Amino acid sequence: MSEDPKRTLTDGSPVPSDGSHRALKPNGQQRGYVVLSAEERAKGFVRPLRFAYVHVGRPLPPNLRDLTEAEAKQYAAYGYVKYEAYGPDRSPTVGRFWTQPELDRSTGGCLATTTMSLPLAETYARDPKFYGGTFCCACREHLPLEEFVWEGTQQRLGN
Ligand SMILES: [Zn+2]
């Protein structure tokens, strides 16, 4: 048996070895989701127990800054709102300007809140790195964890 006793589906049943639980339902969700077993979850949480997350989209580039007064005046016609310095690893003197619509598109979040059941919430609280992606109920697809924050916080899932 290669079955991992530490993992079950949310209803406590064994994880199907054929992966059939990953088949998608019409609403985009999987037929079943893998969680840590009730016994594993009972060992204690390393994060608060949270039930809802928000699809905020990909993180913005790290070296983003506001425009200087001179830049704002010079480029007013273009609608630029931020400047991204590429940094020493790429080129310290080179970067690019961003408009607000470009920033919004680049992050790609729909801002919808998705809630989940207790076994899933407890699995995140027990092992924040258990999952690599999660479901957005508005986009109806599974997306990387870094596109989501816990509701009411700035904290990305998976941390
Ligand atoms: Zn979404």
Side-chain angles (χ1 to χ4, degrees), residues 4 56 103 159:
D4 183 349
V56 293
L103 286 172
N159 293 296

PDB file of all heavy atoms in Angstrom, residues 4 56 103 159:
ATOM      1  N   ASP A   4      -1.074   7.203   1.787  1.00  0.00           N
ATOM      2  CA  ASP A   4      -0.547   8.017   2.875  1.00  0.00           C
ATOM      3  C   ASP A   4      -1.636   8.201   3.927  1.00  0.00           C
ATOM      4  O   ASP A   4      -2.645   8.856   3.679  1.00  0.00           O
ATOM      5  CB  ASP A   4      -0.118   9.382   2.308  1.00  0.00           C
ATOM      6  CG  ASP A   4       0.518  10.264   3.360  1.00  0.00           C
ATOM      7  OD1 ASP A   4       0.449   9.911   4.557  1.00  0.00           O
ATOM      8  OD2 ASP A   4       1.081  11.295   2.988  1.00  0.00           O
ATOM      9  N   VAL A  56      -6.956  38.621  -4.761  1.00  0.00           N
ATOM     10  CA  VAL A  56      -6.405  39.959  -5.045  1.00  0.00           C
ATOM     11  C   VAL A  56      -5.496  39.954  -6.267  1.00  0.00           C
ATOM     12  O   VAL A  56      -5.119  41.002  -6.761  1.00  0.00           O
ATOM     13  CB  VAL A  56      -5.620  40.512  -3.837  1.00  0.00           C
ATOM     14  CG1 VAL A  56      -6.560  40.780  -2.670  1.00  0.00           C
ATOM     15  CG2 VAL A  56      -4.483  39.587  -3.440  1.00  0.00           C
ATOM     16  N   LEU A 103      -1.523  48.213 -14.123  1.00  0.00           N
ATOM     17  CA  LEU A 103      -1.306  47.559 -12.824  1.00  0.00           C
ATOM     18  C   LEU A 103      -2.464  46.617 -12.513  1.00  0.00           C
ATOM     19  O   LEU A 103      -2.249  45.490 -12.060  1.00  0.00           O
ATOM     20  CB  LEU A 103      -1.173  48.611 -11.720  1.00  0.00           C
ATOM     21  CG  LEU A 103       0.138  49.395 -11.696  1.00  0.00           C
ATOM     22  CD1 LEU A 103       0.059  50.533 -10.694  1.00  0.00           C
ATOM     23  CD2 LEU A 103       1.311  48.480 -11.362  1.00  0.00           C
ATOM     24  N   ASN A 159       1.793  31.249   3.336  1.00  0.00           N
ATOM     25  CA  ASN A 159       2.862  31.776   4.208  1.00  0.00           C
ATOM     26  C   ASN A 159       2.509  31.601   5.678  1.00  0.00           C
ATOM     27  O   ASN A 159       1.391  31.406   6.015  1.00  0.00           O
ATOM     28  CB  ASN A 159       3.107  33.258   3.918  1.00  0.00           C
ATOM     29  CG  ASN A 159       3.693  33.451   2.542  1.00  0.00           C
ATOM     30  OD1 ASN A 159       4.785  32.997   2.263  1.00  0.00           O
ATOM     31  ND2 ASN A 159       2.921  34.090   1.665  1.00  0.00           N
TER      32      ASN A 159
END
